[in-house]
Amino acid sequence: VSECIFCKIVAGELPSSKVYEDDTLLAFMDINPINEGHTLVIPKEHFVEMADMDEQTGMLLFQATLRLQRAIRDSGVPCEAINLFLADGEAAGQEVPHVHMHIFPRFKGDAFRVHYDWVSKQWPGREQLDATAAGIRNALEVQPGGATA
Ligand code: AMP
Ligand code: ZN
C-alpha cells in the first residue's frame, strides 16, 4: 500500500539497512533499536495483521527468524539471549500496520522491560483454564485445515 512505510522500504522509496532479502521477505535494522542488532523481518506483501497472511509466507517468516536470530548471536553485538516480539493489532502495540517480527538481543542489565501487574493479578483455577482451552480448541477445529493445518 502506497502510504505504508514498510511497503516504501520494500519498494526502495525509503532507506533501510538491509540484512536479508528474497522474493517473499525483507529483513532490516529497526531505526529505533531496543538493543544493538534489533532486526525486523517483514513479508514484502502488505499484510496488516497475521490473519491476512497466508501460512506459507508465515512459515518462511519464521524460518528466516530462526536463521537471523542465530546470525545476530554470532555477529558480535552484545547478545546473551534473544526476544522475539510481534505486535498484532493496535491494542498489542502495533504501530506500523504491516506484519513485522522483531528480533532483538538481550543481555543482563539491559533496559528492556515488560510492564505487567503480576502482583495484584488473580490467577485462574484449573476449571477456568480447561474452559478457556475448550473454547480455543473449538475455534481451532472450525478453521480451514482444522487443528493440524
Ligand atoms: P511496532 O510497534 O511493533 O509496530 O514496531 C514498529 C517498529 O518499526 C518500531 O520498533 C520502529 O522503531 C520501527 N520503524 C519505524 N519506522 C522505521 C523505519 N523507517 N526503518 C526501520 N524501522 C522503523
Ligand atoms: Zn505495507
Side-chain angles (χ1 to χ4, degrees), residues 43-122:
K44 285 186 167 175
E45 198 174 335
H46 182 81
F47 304 114
V48 175
E49 297 194 337
M50 286 194 281
D52 305 321
M53 186 168 65
D54 61 281
E55 291 189 341
Q56 180 60 25
T57 301
M59 288 192 284
L60 292 170
L61 182 77
F62 198 71
Q63 181 183 57
T65 298
L66 292 174
R67 293 176 181 181
L68 284 160
Q69 69 86 19
R70 227 181 288 125
I72 291 166
R73 287 172 187 272
D74 293 344
S75 71
V77 299
C79 185
E80 293 170 14
I82 292 265
N83 269 135
L84 302 181
F85 185 75
L86 196 158
D88 198 58
E90 214 176 317
Q94 184 178 10
E95 287 177 352
V96 178
H98 181 134
V99 169
H100 50 284
M101 175 74 87
H102 295 260
I103 312 171
F104 53 94
R106 297 296 312 279
F107 50 88
K108 282 209 179 68
D110 71 17
F112 184 73
R113 298 288 178 272
V114 179
H115 293 287
Y116 186 73
D117 186 5
W118 298 100
V119 177
S120 56
K121 177 82 179 167
Q122 294 282 314

Side-chain angles (χ1 to χ4, degrees), residues 5-6 9 28-32 40 93-96 100 102:
I5 57 171
F6 287 175
I9 286 173
F28 54 97
M29 303 318 293
D30 194 297
I31 203 170
N32 297 127
L40 299 174
Q94 184 178 10
E95 287 177 352
V96 178
H100 50 284
H102 295 260

